Amino acid sequence: MSDTNFKFSNSVIGLPLFFVLFLWIIYWLQIRFDFDFYRFGIYPRDFIGLRGVFFSPFIHENLDHLYNNSIPLVILLAAMQFFYPKQTFGVISYGIIFSGLITWVVGRENFHIGASGLIYVLVSFIFFKGIQTKYYRLVALSLTVILLYGGMIWYVFPDVDQSISWEGHLAGLITGFVLTLFYKAPEYAKPIVYDWQRPDFDPSLDPFMKHFDENGNFVTFSHEDEEGQIQYFSSSHPVNYIVIKKADQEEEADQ
């Protein structure tokens, strides 16, 4: 493949900034007009609580909660839009929906809010998809994400911090991995150049590979017909031979 698949565009900066700015506007409306947005969070196993699947990522408890989610969102969304532009909106949309549904099923009976579930979706998708493609730049991206946010893995366990929605984190981690299996990235696959690279290649049918034995040694063999006779090639064109005696050649040379 060619590195021309990675193209910088305004959306690489615009998408994460717009998304985070939208979160800050919602938080400003919440504190400015004293709106109670918490009830729009995910409330597990309650039908009304299902609306939180769509609204909870945009609601935050306080300024620290919003700030801690904003920086990772800017970095991860920019990385997604640059390296996986065809998959970005699908990962965001389905990531929010399915991680929210899993949280609704397995979560504690309390309101679950915040964009941390989406952050776990993005971290999981970028890491596992980079490893799956085996392309060196995407593998390097996966290792960079783990270096920056690898410590987040501890917050998918219930005993680490009961004040956070570890269920939402776990749901995001699972959802991100599942989305890597659903969203393919053929543009990053190595192109097939030779016949022997094809998955349906059969060495026993290849004329060149027949010249090698089971140990990899080159062997020669004669082409034989069905009766075991060696085949010879003959030409249908007449061949005229001119025979010149050596003595005649010497006389011509002396003259």
Side-chain angles (χ1 to χ4, degrees):
M1 64 160 289
S2 173
D3 284 349
T4 55
N5 287 284
F6 304 123
K7 296 181 179 180
F8 180 83
S9 64
N10 293 334
S11 61
V12 175
I13 301 298
L15 173 64
L17 291 182
F18 175 80
F19 191 93
V20 172
L21 179 61
F22 184 67
L23 298 183
W24 281 83
I25 291 175
I26 292 177
Y27 183 73
W28 177 81
L29 292 174
Q30 177 177 313
I31 60 176
R32 175 66 178 81
F33 299 100
D34 195 25
F35 288 149
D36 186 12
F37 285 155
Y38 303 115
R39 57 191 178 89
F40 289 96
I42 299 174
Y43 198 88
R45 294 171 298 280
D46 182 84
F47 182 76
I48 299 298
L50 274 174
R51 62 187 177 184
V53 171
F54 302 98
F55 298 131
S56 64
F58 308 101
I59 306 170
H60 291 83
E61 180 181 3
N62 50 47
L63 193 60
D64 289 338
H65 188 201
L66 177 59
Y67 175 78
N68 291 333
N69 285 342
S70 296
I71 296 179
L73 280 174
V74 170
I75 297 174
L76 294 171
L77 287 174
M80 278 292 301
Q81 186 61 24
F82 182 75
F83 291 98
Y84 302 99
K86 297 179 180 179
Q87 296 84 10
T88 299
F89 288 99
V91 171
I92 294 175
S93 302
Y94 290 115
I96 290 176
I97 293 174
F98 288 109
S99 64
L101 288 175
I102 295 175
T103 304
W104 184 81
V105 173
V106 304
R108 290 164 290 175
E109 293 185 355
N110 200 348
F111 288 104
H112 297 255
I113 58 175
S116 56
L118 176 60
I119 293 175
Y120 275 81
V121 171
L122 298 174
V123 169
S124 179
F125 182 89
I126 293 174
F127 172 74
F128 289 110
K129 178 52 70 175
I131 300 300
Q132 291 169 11
T133 59
K134 300 180 182 178
Y135 181 56
Y136 73 99
R137 293 190 66 178
L138 297 180
V139 172
L141 176 64
S142 298
L143 298 179
T144 302
V145 168
I146 287 300
L147 181 64
L148 293 175
Y149 302 111
M152 292 170 51
I153 189 64
W154 298 111
Y155 295 99
V156 303
F157 300 106
D159 295 333
V160 176
D161 190 349
Q162 290 289 334
S163 64
I164 62 175
S165 176
W166 63 267
E167 300 94 333
H169 299 169
L170 179 61
L173 186 69
I174 295 173
T175 302
F177 173 73
V178 173
L179 289 176
T180 64
L181 305 178
F182 179 77
Y183 282 102
K184 305 299 181 181
E187 62 270 23
Y188 300 133
K190 292 183 178 179
I192 296 177
V193 180
Y194 306 102
D195 289 338
W196 53 265
Q197 292 179 313
R198 300 183 181 278
D200 58 346
F201 175 72
D202 187 356
S204 63
L205 302 179
D206 185 76
F208 177 74
M209 296 300 296
K210 290 181 179 180
H211 287 275
F212 295 89
D213 60 16
E214 58 183 8
N215 297 321
N217 300 317
F218 185 80
V219 294
T220 58
F221 56 90
S222 301
H223 295 281
E224 300 182 353
D225 58 14
E226 295 179 355
E227 298 179 357
Q229 300 295 325
I230 298 177
Q231 297 179 349
Y232 295 93
F233 294 95
S234 60
S235 175
S236 60
H237 297 279
V239 179
N240 297 323
Y241 295 95
I242 301 176
V243 180
I244 302 176
K245 294 182 180 180
K246 185 176 182 181
D248 295 337
Q249 291 180 341
E250 294 176 352
E251 291 178 1
E252 292 177 0
D254 294 338
Q255 293 177 359

